[in-house]
Amino acid sequence: MLEPSVKRRKTSHSPPHTATQQSFFSSPHAPAAFSSYLKLILHACGLLVVILVIHFFVSASRRELDGRVTQMLQELEDEKMQCAQKFRDNQCDLYAHKHFFGSFCNQWEQCMKRDLRGVGRAKLTMTVYGEMINALVEPLTFKAMLVICLLVFGIFVGSILLS
């Protein structure tokens, strides 16, 4: 059935290695490529940390600001109710009493008609940010601030030198 004149040839299943088929790790450019990828990963992690710190700072300040605005609106609403109570108690709506209590009645009426939507949110925002920065900086000693500045400076210089 098989002819004896036909000989089978043995073939190797693994081709011989050539210069183009070298592995990545044996390449002479591998350390530079690995270093580049490592720097990319480290810079991405550093950027992620900075973004997270900024996010937490903004969300904490927003919560603090909303709480302060709510508190301020409640205080102004209470003051408005007191003005209305004084206006009614002194019967300022009557012409005769308005003559005797003229300036007081006008002040109470203006206080009653005050619009609470115009709360100074910008001023309150700057006050909250100022208090937060002071709360961060006040407990630090001169030595701690110097170490933090040197650390930040060292990170920037190291990043520039390694680039």
Side-chain angles (χ1 to χ4, degrees), residues 15-139:
H17 288 285
T18 60
T20 59
Q21 293 178 339
Q22 287 181 346
S23 71
F24 173 75
F25 294 108
S26 64
S27 170
H29 301 292
F34 181 72
S35 174
S36 296
Y37 284 121
L38 184 64
K39 280 194 319 188
L40 177 68
I41 291 169
L42 289 176
H43 283 139
C45 290
L47 184 64
L48 181 67
V49 167
V50 168
I51 289 171
L52 284 174
V53 166
I54 290 171
H55 170 72
F56 288 137
F57 181 76
V58 168
S59 64
S61 63
R62 186 171 291 157
R63 281 192 305 268
E64 177 72 22
L65 184 63
D66 289 342
R68 292 262 183 108
V69 166
T70 303
Q71 180 184 3
M72 187 177 184
L73 284 174
Q74 184 62 39
E75 289 172 2
L76 289 174
E77 187 66 34
D78 291 344
E79 186 179 324
K80 192 174 176 180
M81 296 298 283
Q82 288 176 0
C83 291
Q85 183 67 32
K86 288 179 184 177
F87 189 83
R88 281 191 304 271
D89 288 346
N90 291 311
Q91 298 176 347
C92 288
D93 51 347
L94 300 176
Y95 178 74
H97 289 289
K98 203 170 199 176
H99 179 65
F100 294 115
F101 297 111
S103 63
F104 293 115
C105 287
N106 289 336
Q107 289 175 358
W108 293 326
E109 189 174 15
Q110 287 175 356
C111 176
M112 283 177 13
K113 293 181 180 180
R114 185 171 36 194
D115 186 18
L116 298 181
R117 289 177 290 168
V119 175
R121 191 170 175 95
K123 182 179 178 183
L124 194 58
T125 302
M126 290 302 122
T127 303
V128 167
Y129 282 136
E131 288 176 1
M132 289 176 73
I133 290 171
N134 282 339
L136 289 173
V137 174
E138 277 181 4

